[in-house]
């Protein structure tokens, strides 16, 4: 419950749910092979995104400071929120790679640090990606063809802060901003990867 002002408006069972994030990133990478099997690199980029989530409200109850008016009661409702954000990211990583005959394997690990305009603090992300692949070097194919499968582990967490005006929930309520905070982390840290290049 959230109690606001005098008289008191009670907002019960306030919850944020069904969060979906859409992110786009443009990154530059500068890398160097230290050894034939060791590559190090640095990353710099720009991030733009949008988070959509539902604000679920159990009920709103309160009295206006005017005699004779009935108590305000609003049953449960869901309000769609859209939060736009942008910022910069930078970091670095290392790739280990090797091969035998037509097979190759690699493992890549990197750490990135992002500064987003609506986030309290900074976002740090660890990513590890092992891959196993096959080179196809056939006279019928011009150039080299490669296929791979692998996985990606990502440890990611961020906190989004924003506010909503009570008057947007119900025009009879006072124009008062309520701040909220949403902690976001990936539900499954491991993902399956497959790909190829020519």
């Amino acid at each position: 419950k959230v109690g606001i002002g005098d008289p008191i408006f009670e907002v019960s069972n306030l919850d944020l749910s069904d969060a979906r994030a859409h992110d786009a990133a443009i990154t530059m990478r500068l890398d160097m092979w230290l050894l034939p099997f060791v590559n190090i690199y640095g990353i710099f980029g720009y991030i733009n995104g949008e988070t959509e989530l539902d604000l679920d409200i159990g009920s709103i109850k309160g009295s206006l400071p005017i005699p004779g008016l009935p108590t305000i009661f609003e049953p449960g409702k869901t309000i769609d929120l859209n939060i736009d954000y942008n910022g910069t990211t930078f970091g670095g990583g290392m790739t280990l790679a090797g091969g035998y005959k037509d097979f190759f394997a690699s493992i890549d690990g990197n750490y990135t640090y992002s500064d987003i305009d609506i986030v309290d603090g900074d976002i740090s992300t660890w990513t590890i990606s092992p891959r196993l692949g096959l080179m196809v070097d056939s006279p019928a194919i011009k150039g080299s063809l490669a296929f791979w499968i692998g996985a990606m582990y990502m440890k990611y967490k961020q906190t989004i802060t924003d506010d909503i005006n009570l008057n947007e929930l119900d025009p009879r309520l006072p124009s008062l901003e309520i701040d909220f905070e949403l902690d976001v982390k990936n539900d499954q840290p491991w993902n399956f990867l497959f790909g190829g290049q020519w």
Side-chain angles (χ1 to χ4, degrees):
K1 287 187 176 180
V2 181
I4 300 142
D6 186 16
I8 294 293
F9 288 90
E10 288 187 351
V11 182
S12 67
N13 300 327
L14 194 65
D15 190 30
L16 297 165
S17 65
D18 198 19
R20 300 167 301 280
H22 309 275
D23 296 306
I26 299 171
T27 57
M28 293 183 297
R29 171 173 158 162
L30 181 66
D31 73 295
M32 177 176 68
W33 286 94
L34 289 180
L35 296 168
F37 56 89
V38 179
N39 179 274
I40 61 169
Y41 57 89
I43 301 170
F44 178 77
Y46 172 79
I47 300 171
N48 180 265
E50 177 185 28
T51 296
E52 301 171 2
L53 59 140
D54 294 335
L55 175 62
D56 302 316
I57 301 169
S59 65
I60 302 171
K61 185 171 69 172
S63 301
L64 294 172
I66 302 172
L69 287 180
T71 299
I72 293 174
F73 179 78
E74 280 287 331
K77 62 168 67 176
T78 298
I79 297 168
D80 294 329
L81 299 177
N82 292 315
I83 305 167
D84 294 314
Y85 50 88
N86 56 69
T88 56
T89 185
F90 60 92
M94 181 172 68
T95 303
L96 301 175
Y100 177 73
K101 294 188 178 180
D102 292 335
F103 296 94
F104 65 90
S106 69
I107 184 165
D108 179 82
N110 65 62
Y111 172 82
T112 57
Y113 174 91
S114 303
D115 182 17
I116 308 296
D117 58 355
I118 65 162
V119 175
D120 273 350
D122 302 297
I123 303 168
S124 59
T125 306
W126 282 100
T127 306
I128 300 171
S129 301
R131 297 181 184 183
L132 182 64
L134 174 68
M135 297 286 295
V136 180
D137 193 8
S138 167
I141 300 172
K142 188 174 183 179
S144 296
L145 188 63
F147 299 98
W148 64 81
I149 60 170
M152 181 178 71
Y153 171 83
M154 179 182 284
K155 185 178 180 182
Y156 164 88
K157 186 177 180 181
Q158 78 178 64
T159 301
I160 295 173
T161 58
D162 202 0
D163 56 58
I164 187 166
N165 196 308
L166 269 187
N167 190 252
E168 295 175 11
L169 305 180
D170 189 316
R172 297 171 294 177
L173 296 177
S175 180
L176 183 65
E177 300 287 337
I178 297 177
D179 297 326
F180 66 84
E181 188 175 275
L182 178 67
D183 290 325
V184 181
K185 65 179 182 177
N186 48 330
D187 184 47
Q188 298 292 333
W190 283 100
N191 296 279
F192 174 70
L193 295 177
F194 67 93
Q197 73 175 31
W198 176 43

